Amino acid sequence: MDTENAAAGRPGADVDPAADGRTPEVAGPGEVAGPSEVTGPGEAPAVAREVFGDRYDAAVRYTELLATAGVQRGLIGPREVPRLWDRHVLNCAVLAELLPAGITLCDVGSGAGLPGIPVALARPDVSVTLLEPLLRRTTFLEEVVRELGLENVTVLRGRAEEMVGKLAVDVVTARAVAPLERLAGWGMPLLRPHGQMLALKGDSAEQELADSRAGLAKLGAVEWSVISVGEGTLETSTRVVQVKAGESPGGVKAATRRAKAARAGRNASARTGGAPRGGRRRTR
C-alpha cells in the first residue's frame, strides 16, 4: 500500500507507514520473507481464483510476502494485514477489466507493488513496469518478481519526471501517490498518444476530478471520468479516475522534452554508428 507516498504527496516520500509508530524490523539483503510477529492475511476469498486464474498460487504467495517482508520493511502498515486481500490485492487486480490486450503499463510510485503486481498477475499478457525511486522498495519488488516468476514485470528505479522521453507506455496506473492533478503531471507525460491514466482514488474520486479538470486539459487530456470496476466480483467495487490523453500526453512541455530526448538518442546513435539499444532493462 502506498501510504508512504500519499503522506508526503509525491512518489518516493520516505515516510514510515506503520500505524502503531514502531520502527519496522528490516529483513536482511535477499530475505524476502522471514519470521513475523504480525497476524497473517487469512485465507484467500473464493473470488481470488476467478480473478487470478492459473496465477492464483502466485497471488497467494504475494499476499503472504506483503504480510511478512512488506511489514518488516515498512512498506505495509501492520494493521492492514488482515484486510490485504479485500482492500489491497483484489481491489487493485480488478483494474485488469479496463486494459486492452497486449498493452504496456507503468505503475508510478509502485511502493509495495500496488496496483502493478496484482494487475500483472491477473493479466499475464500485459507488460508492466514498476517505477519506484527508493532502493529499499525496488529491492523488495525485484525479490518478489523473481520469486513469483513474473516474466511480464520489470522493476525500474527512478522518478516519473526523470523518465519523460525514456519510457512510453499505453497505460499509467497509480494508487495513493498524490492529489490527482499533481499525479497527472507525473504520469501523463509517460503515455503514448491516446493512452490513459488510471488512478485509484476511492471516495475522493469525484471531488479530485472536479478540482483538476482545467489542469488535466493543460496536460493533454481530452476525456476523463470516474468509473467503478469489480462490480459483481468484489463486495465493494474499486473507484477509478480514468483520464484519456490526446495527441500530446503531458502537454507542450512534455512534448518538447520527448523531442529533445529523441534527438539526443539519434545523435548518440550517429556517434556510435549503430541503432539505439532497445529492450527493457532491470535497474537495481
Side-chain angles (χ1 to χ4, degrees):
M1 174 175 115
D2 295 318
T3 48
E4 301 169 82
N5 293 342
R10 62 179 177 85
D14 195 7
V15 180
D16 183 358
D20 58 4
R22 292 184 294 109
T23 301
E25 178 185 353
V26 179
E31 294 181 289
V32 178
S36 175
E37 298 177 0
V38 301
T39 304
E43 186 176 352
V47 71
R49 291 188 180 274
E50 174 186 340
V51 171
F52 293 109
D54 59 6
R55 284 188 164 184
Y56 168 78
D57 289 341
V60 170
R61 181 59 182 145
Y62 172 57
T63 307
E64 292 171 349
L65 294 173
L66 290 177
T68 53
V71 173
Q72 293 159 10
R73 300 186 188 191
L75 304 180
I76 293 290
R79 295 180 185 176
E80 295 302 313
V81 172
R83 50 190 181 183
L84 278 174
W85 277 110
D86 293 333
R87 186 169 177 177
H88 303 290
V89 177
L90 288 168
N91 177 271
C92 290
V94 292
L95 273 182
E97 297 177 12
L98 302 177
L99 305 179
I103 56 101
T104 56
L105 179 150
C106 178
D107 186 27
V108 172
S110 193
L114 298 166
I117 289 181
V119 169
L121 286 165
R123 289 289 300 275
D125 64 304
V126 173
S127 296
V128 176
T129 296
L130 306 178
L131 180 60
E132 170 56 50
L134 285 191
L135 177 61
R136 67 187 178 92
R137 297 183 198 159
T138 56
T139 298
F140 172 80
L141 292 172
E142 288 189 337
E143 292 170 2
V144 170
V145 168
R146 184 166 55 248
E147 177 161 338
L148 300 184
L150 296 179
E151 296 183 356
N152 62 323
V153 178
T154 295
V155 178
L156 184 61
R157 186 181 176 201
R159 299 185 183 280
E161 55 267 38
E162 301 167 348
M163 297 298 157
V164 180
K166 302 175 184 178
L167 179 66
V169 296
D170 301 304
V171 175
V172 164
T173 59
R175 182 179 192 245
V177 171
L180 181 61
E181 187 170 341
R182 195 185 311 166
L183 172 62
W186 295 325
M188 294 287 288
L190 301 181
L191 291 173
R192 294 191 174 108
H194 307 292
Q196 62 176 323
M197 183 180 75
L198 302 174
L200 283 75
K201 283 295 181 181
D203 293 338
S204 69
E206 284 83 357
Q207 187 59 54
E208 286 202 46
L209 182 55
D211 294 340
S212 305
R213 294 176 188 272
L216 292 175
K218 290 179 181 179
L219 289 167
V222 295
E223 186 178 337
W224 45 77
S225 60
V226 176
I227 55 180
S228 294
V229 290
E231 293 182 338
T233 300
L234 305 181
E235 184 174 338
T236 301
S237 61
T238 300
R239 303 284 283 164
V240 180
V241 176
Q242 182 181 49
V243 181
K244 296 183 178 181
E247 290 286 348
S248 299
V252 175
K253 289 184 179 179
T256 302
R257 291 176 65 184
R258 284 194 291 266
K260 184 177 180 180
R263 287 195 299 271
R266 288 194 295 270
N267 292 339
S269 176
R271 287 194 299 270
T272 59
R277 286 187 178 181
R280 296 157 67 195
R281 181 171 68 89
R282 192 181 297 271
T283 301
R284 296 186 184 274

